Amino acid sequence: VTLEVTDDVLTEAQKNGIDCIVTFHPLIFSPMISLQENDRVGRLCSGLIRSNIALVAAHTNFDAFPKGTSAILAEELGLIIERVLVPDRAFPGSGMGIIARSPEPVSETELVANVRTVCGSPVRYSTGKTRKISSIAIVGGSGSSFIEEAIESGADAFITADVKYHTFHRAIGGITLIDPGHYEMERFVPRGLASLLEQILPHEEHIRISVSSTVTNP
């Protein structure tokens, strides 16, 4: 189980006798009409085929899963999950992002410091409407397009990644906006996916599930 497939992840799978890779970030984003060795995706697909390794991707569906990407980060931050930010009408309890609360109100500085410690990286942020934060919206990965929903939810802060310069300006005075980085927010996902697989296959003793030890942050 890995965040994404890279040359190093493929080598790791080959060395460990892996039959199937479950990845969060899809390897194939656009339809392929040929396999070219000088193209990253083509090279990796060729390597998977030669090694007889299957590839399964679970991305947006795991984002929307009740215990998926955003919920995993909320738990790592010690927050209490209350509801979905943007509910999926077809699947009750599912949807994009979550709203969580801090057990005790924290200052903006304390929240930023906690995010930095948990995600393991410097963060970019802009100040919001209050210096004491209780309610926090989270969309794991590239979720700045949900800024309006986060503000309308009444949350004091919004944590997401790949935030553009002007989006920070949009948030000033309305909601504390924190960007710890894309990989940094999602680095807990492989373990979460593996845990889900272990629940789905509790009696399949012949199936060995392992989380990749390769750091795929470019």
Side-chain angles (χ1 to χ4, degrees):
V1 184
T2 183
L3 189 66
E4 55 234 335
V5 180
T6 65
D7 290 293
D8 289 339
V9 169
L10 177 56
T11 299
E12 179 186 12
Q14 292 166 333
K15 289 181 178 178
N16 292 332
I18 297 297
D19 303 302
C20 176
I21 295 175
V22 176
T23 179
F24 178 60
H25 288 152
L27 176 61
I28 302 172
F29 278 94
S30 302
M32 300 179 68
I33 59 174
S34 64
L35 293 176
Q36 301 291 333
E37 290 291 340
N38 59 354
D39 171 72
R40 172 182 172 271
V41 176
R43 182 181 68 253
L44 289 169
C45 286
S46 296
L48 289 165
I49 292 167
R50 291 193 186 103
S51 301
N52 199 28
I53 298 175
L55 179 64
V56 177
H59 189 238
T60 308
N61 47 359
F62 193 70
D63 282 333
F65 183 59
K67 296 182 180 180
T69 314
S70 301
I72 291 171
L73 180 60
E75 292 172 356
E76 292 289 335
L77 290 169
L79 304 177
I80 301 167
I81 299 170
E82 295 187 324
R83 59 186 173 89
V84 178
L85 175 62
V86 183
D88 187 324
R89 295 179 182 178
F91 299 95
S94 299
M96 295 303 293
I98 55 100
I99 299 291
R101 63 179 173 85
S102 175
E104 298 291 338
V106 295
S107 70
E108 196 172 60
T109 303
E110 289 172 324
L111 177 60
V112 170
N114 187 26
V115 172
R116 181 174 189 243
T117 298
V118 169
C119 292
S121 69
V123 302
R124 298 182 300 146
Y125 76 99
S126 57
T127 57
K129 61 186 176 182
T130 178
R131 296 297 179 267
K132 280 294 181 181
I133 294 172
S134 297
S135 180
I136 302 162
I138 300 176
V139 174
S142 185
S144 60
S145 61
F146 294 96
I147 181 71
E148 301 302 330
E149 287 84 351
I151 293 173
E152 290 172 5
S153 75
D156 303 315
F158 180 34
I159 305 172
T160 193
D162 300 336
V163 178
K164 294 182 178 179
Y165 175 84
H166 293 293
T167 306
F168 279 111
H169 272 299
R170 167 68 183 91
I172 289 177
I175 193 168
T176 298
L177 182 57
I178 303 173
D179 182 348
H182 194 125
Y183 170 86
E184 290 78 8
M185 286 193 80
E186 296 181 341
R187 66 191 185 93
F188 308 103
V189 167
R191 181 66 258 172
L193 272 171
S195 296
L196 179 60
L197 289 172
E198 288 164 356
Q199 293 172 33
I200 293 171
L201 306 167
H203 305 299
E204 302 292 340
E205 296 180 358
H206 64 284
I207 296 179
R208 174 171 55 90
I209 299 170
S210 61
V211 177
S212 172
S213 60
T214 300
V215 176
T216 60
N217 190 352

